Amino acid sequence: MGMNDDSAQWSFLHGKRILDLSRLLPGPFATTLLADLGADVVKVEDPSRPDPTRIAGERMASLNRNKRSIALDLRLETDRETFLRLVETADAVVEGFRPQVLAGMGLGYDVLRKANPRIVLCSISGYGQSGPYADKPGHELNFLGLSGFFAVPGRTDGAVTRPGIRAGDLVGSMYAALSLAVALASVDKQGQGQHIDISLTEAATAWCAPFALMIRDIVDPTDSPTVQGDNDVFETSDGRLLSLATFEDKFWVEFRTALGDEFPALKTDRFDQRWPRTLHKAEVRELLVATFGAQTYEWWSQALTTINAPWAPVFTDADQLMSDPHVVARDLFSEVSNGDGGSWPQMRFPAQFSLGLDTFRLPTPQVGEHTDSILGELTPPH
């Protein structure tokens, strides 16, 4: 695993400096994406109140690789002055405070822009920088609740459960990284920076609204055409799960034809077309629950693979995921040093570039680990 800083030299982000004031998940995930892609991300941490994620070492490692750390307490005037000198050398600042907190410290966009007219400030907050909810406290579940996520069922029983992953934060991180990349490229084109206002709620709504709006006039949301009896997760006789997605008619016909002798209930052409299958979703699901429950996972694995059905295992623990032969063949995970002599598994950047990308160039920095070297890169104050 290379520790050099050169594997993303082809990237326009190579050499772009991003000062990251954010903590926890949304901001750090966004800046990790950009750091992986070649940006010089400097994590600015208060030494007396560092990123709380540091207590969760493994998560901290995956959210803060390829970054350097400088220790600054922005409540102190001297450290604010140092920060503004850094802004003069930087291309972007990322922050995740509540609206007006950064301005209250004397570091609002107007101040940053005076120090560097090309600076891009990306503010990530729950509800955005304006509007009646702007000052409301909130966390990921609140943002997801407001987004329309719970208005869109995925199963015939209508249940919509909270995802275990922090989807309401992560979707906002993706939009922040995309917006930052576009804004940084645009500075090169027209010479001036800008302020990006990312609302985590609005980012989640961007994913949920197309589905929620589509069913706004349907009395029972489970009547949505996106809820299907055959496009679901099923349990085998030995309690394991698999997914079947016979979305296209040809897959359904192949499935029920090949297995009709073993399961006579499948010997019907009533559901051979998508719309009748969707219309009778409860009946189709009942049929499939009984069918899959009659044989073991291994039996189904062989049968479904033989007929080339659109099926896949449903992993219920990380070991299954990491040992999957496809995952192994594509080098998805690597053991990455944790800085204390041990290592943790981490996943590489999920896109593969023909010009190459070493995802694991720098381990997670200690608080202030690079303070001296970063300050040494600055010109003396005038």
Side-chain angles (χ1 to χ4, degrees), residues 144-157:
L144 214 53
L146 278 173
S147 71
F149 174 85
F150 290 94
V152 184
R155 303 176 60 108
T156 52
D157 62 8

Side-chain angles (χ1 to χ4, degrees), residues 5-224:
D5 202 18
D6 297 331
S7 85
Q9 279 193 333
W10 53 262
S11 168
F12 94 95
L13 287 169
H14 187 80
K16 299 283 186 196
R17 176 172 291 178
I18 299 171
L19 305 177
D20 185 5
L21 297 170
S22 67
R23 297 144 47 103
L24 298 171
L25 180 59
F29 187 81
T31 54
T32 295
L33 296 177
L34 299 176
D36 284 356
L37 291 171
D40 171 22
V41 176
V42 176
K43 191 172 178 67
V44 180
E45 284 183 275
D46 182 336
S48 61
R49 295 181 302 174
D51 190 335
T53 310
R54 284 193 178 276
I55 61 170
E58 192 164 349
R59 183 190 289 186
M60 179 74 187
S62 64
L63 287 173
N64 291 281
R65 65 185 178 221
N66 297 328
K67 301 177 185 178
R68 300 188 291 166
S69 171
I70 185 170
L72 293 176
D73 180 352
L74 297 180
R75 293 168 297 182
L76 303 176
E77 191 178 345
T78 51
D79 283 13
R80 285 198 298 275
E81 287 168 4
T82 301
F83 180 73
L84 285 173
R85 286 173 59 213
L86 280 171
V87 168
E88 291 174 18
T89 72
D91 298 280
V93 173
V94 176
E95 60 100 357
F97 300 114
R98 287 230 216 131
Q100 303 308 318
V101 168
L102 196 65
M105 285 192 258
L107 296 171
Y109 176 58
D110 54 338
V111 176
L112 302 184
R113 187 172 51 182
K114 275 190 198 125
N116 179 356
R118 295 170 61 90
I119 201 75
V120 173
L121 171 63
C122 180
S123 297
I124 303 173
S125 64
Y127 305 107
Q129 300 296 302
S130 62
Y133 294 170
D135 294 325
K136 210 172 132 66
H139 284 290
E140 185 265 352
L141 182 57
N142 309 129
F143 315 147
L144 214 53
L146 278 173
S147 71
F149 174 85
F150 290 94
V152 184
R155 303 176 60 108
T156 52
D157 62 8
V160 183
T161 56
R162 178 188 187 179
I165 61 158
R166 295 298 180 247
D169 281 342
L170 293 170
V171 60
S173 298
M174 304 292 291
Y175 279 107
L178 173 63
S179 303
L180 272 161
V182 171
L184 286 169
S186 303
V187 175
D188 288 344
K189 188 176 177 183
Q190 42 81 359
Q192 64 183 39
Q194 60 179 312
H195 188 187
I196 304 170
D197 173 2
I198 297 280
S199 155
L200 294 171
T201 300
E202 287 168 11
T205 304
W207 279 15
C208 300
F211 297 93
L213 297 181
M214 186 179 74
I215 58 173
R216 65 189 180 281
D217 297 325
I218 298 178
V219 176
D220 180 354
T222 62
D223 288 340
S224 164

Side-chain angles (χ1 to χ4, degrees), residues 225-248:
T226 59
V227 178
Q228 297 157 355
D230 57 323
N231 198 0
D232 211 337
V233 172
F234 299 95
E235 189 173 337
T236 60
S237 63
D238 50 350
R240 291 183 63 183
L241 301 175
L242 58 82
S243 63
L244 180 75
T246 46
F247 185 78
E248 295 103 325

